[in-house]
Amino acid sequence: MISSPLMVHEKIWLDKPKYDAAERRYYERLAKGVSQNSNSWNSLAGEVAKARQHIKNSLQCIDDIAVTSNTVSVEITNRLNSLEKENVDLKNQVSELVELLKKMDLRIVSLEKTCAGGSKPADNKVPAPAPHPKKDDAEDDDGVDLFGSDSEEEDTEAAKIKEQRLAEYAARKAKKPVLIAKSNIILDVKPWDDETNMKELEAEVRKITTDGLVWGASKLVPLAYGIHKLQISCVVEDDKVSVDWLQETIQEIEDYVQSVDIAAFNKV
């Protein structure tokens, strides 16, 4: 088929639907991109607002901490000042008490020396009456000393009272009972074997007597293989009975005793 010359010169856009579709897709994508950018902007603005609020809260918290710290610092400073003042007062009081105790110790030592030696302490000596001033011949002739005899009598009476008090103190000290040092001892007495008669062993131990030694309770304590040891208590006066002597004396009972040990030692 041969085309007409008129149709060759006509302008026909045969691909217009395809370009329309492409244009429509372009604008749709553009609109979608604007929407996404808007959402992103709103999200970014929200994050910025949250960050600002967080910073504001943090600054407020720091201010609160600073105020609290200042308050606590002031309270601690006041407390420390108060404690320092109390410490100084206590030190002064302790110093005064120490001085008083030193004076009392010196006084007691002086009194003890006086009672032991039978003489009065130096600080308790009665001062001798002051000599009367010399008078003129006219005063010796005319005047009379009306107060001299009374003063001498008072000094003598005061000396007698002090001597009496010192004697009473010495008597009370002499009557005071002397403390006797004693010790409570628990001994472990071991026999030779399981055939040893423990009753006879205890009887032999209790036969040991001396001044200042008192035997107490006893019991048998199992050791091993049917062997028992005698555990016996006693009270001794430290000045009269030696622990070493007591152990050696019990050890001398060779027929029954193998060894002697101290299980307990307490001061009474």
Side-chain angles (χ1 to χ4, degrees):
M1 179 176 179
I2 300 173
S3 299
S4 172
L6 294 174
M7 293 182 65
V8 173
H9 294 284
E10 286 184 3
K11 294 180 180 181
I12 300 173
W13 190 9
L14 299 177
D15 295 331
K16 186 176 184 301
K18 183 171 64 176
Y19 286 101
D20 289 341
E23 185 179 4
R24 184 176 64 254
R25 288 196 299 271
Y26 168 76
Y27 285 109
E28 287 178 356
R29 290 177 182 176
L30 184 62
K32 186 176 181 181
V34 172
S35 177
Q36 289 179 352
N37 291 335
S38 178
N39 293 333
S40 299
W41 175 259
N42 293 333
S43 177
L44 180 61
E47 292 296 329
V48 171
K50 289 181 180 180
R52 289 179 177 176
Q53 185 64 32
H54 181 69
I55 293 171
K56 183 178 180 181
N57 294 336
S58 299
L59 293 175
Q60 183 64 33
C61 183
I62 292 172
D63 294 338
D64 294 340
I65 291 173
V67 173
T68 305
S69 177
N70 291 333
T71 304
V72 173
S73 177
V74 172
E75 292 179 356
I76 292 175
T77 303
N78 294 334
R79 183 60 177 168
L80 288 175
N81 293 333
S82 177
L83 289 174
E84 288 179 356
K85 183 178 179 182
E86 292 178 0
N87 190 22
V88 172
D89 295 338
L90 287 174
K91 285 183 178 179
N92 294 333
Q93 294 178 3
V94 170
S95 300
E96 293 176 359
L97 290 174
V98 170
E99 293 297 327
L100 289 175
L101 288 174
K102 288 181 180 179
K103 292 180 181 179
M104 290 179 66
D105 289 339
L106 294 175
R107 180 65 176 170
I108 291 172
V109 171
S110 177
L111 290 173
E112 289 178 350
K113 289 182 179 179
T114 301
C115 295
S119 60
K120 293 182 291 183
D123 55 350
N124 284 340
K125 290 183 179 180
V126 180
H132 297 289
K134 294 183 179 181
K135 299 180 181 180
D136 297 336
D137 295 337
E139 291 180 354
D140 291 338
D141 295 338
D142 300 333
V144 178
D145 187 5
L146 300 178
F147 303 99
S149 59
D150 294 338
S151 177
E152 292 177 358
E153 291 178 359
E154 291 176 358
D155 294 339
T156 304
E157 186 68 21
K160 289 180 179 180
I161 292 173
K162 290 184 178 180
E163 289 178 357
Q164 182 179 0
R165 289 179 179 175
L166 289 173
E168 292 175 355
Y169 175 78
R172 288 196 302 271
K173 187 175 180 181
K175 292 179 181 179
K176 187 177 180 180
V178 180
L179 182 64
I180 300 175
K182 295 182 179 181
S183 300
N184 185 12
I185 306 172
I186 298 177
L187 299 171
D188 284 344
V189 183
K190 298 178 182 178
W192 288 105
D193 50 31
D194 59 340
E195 295 181 357
T196 303
N197 191 328
M198 299 304 294
K199 290 185 178 180
E200 293 181 0
L201 186 150
E202 182 179 354
E204 292 296 327
V205 171
R206 290 184 182 275
K207 286 181 181 179
I208 301 173
T209 58
T210 184
D211 186 20
L213 171 62
V214 179
W215 293 106
S218 64
K219 64 179 180 179
L220 296 178
V221 179
L223 290 176
Y225 305 105
I227 301 175
H228 291 72
K229 67 178 179 180
L230 174 67
Q231 193 170 80
I232 186 169
S233 65
C234 63
V235 177
V236 299
E237 294 184 15
D238 296 342
D239 294 338
K240 296 180 179 180
V241 182
S242 170
V243 179
D244 295 334
W245 171 85
L246 184 60
Q247 283 184 279
E248 292 173 359
T249 305
I250 297 174
Q251 190 72 41
E252 291 175 358
I253 309 174
E254 297 178 351
D255 294 339
Y256 299 97
V257 178
Q258 177 190 4
S259 63
V260 181
D261 297 321
I262 297 176
F265 189 98
N266 298 310
K267 292 293 183 180
V268 179

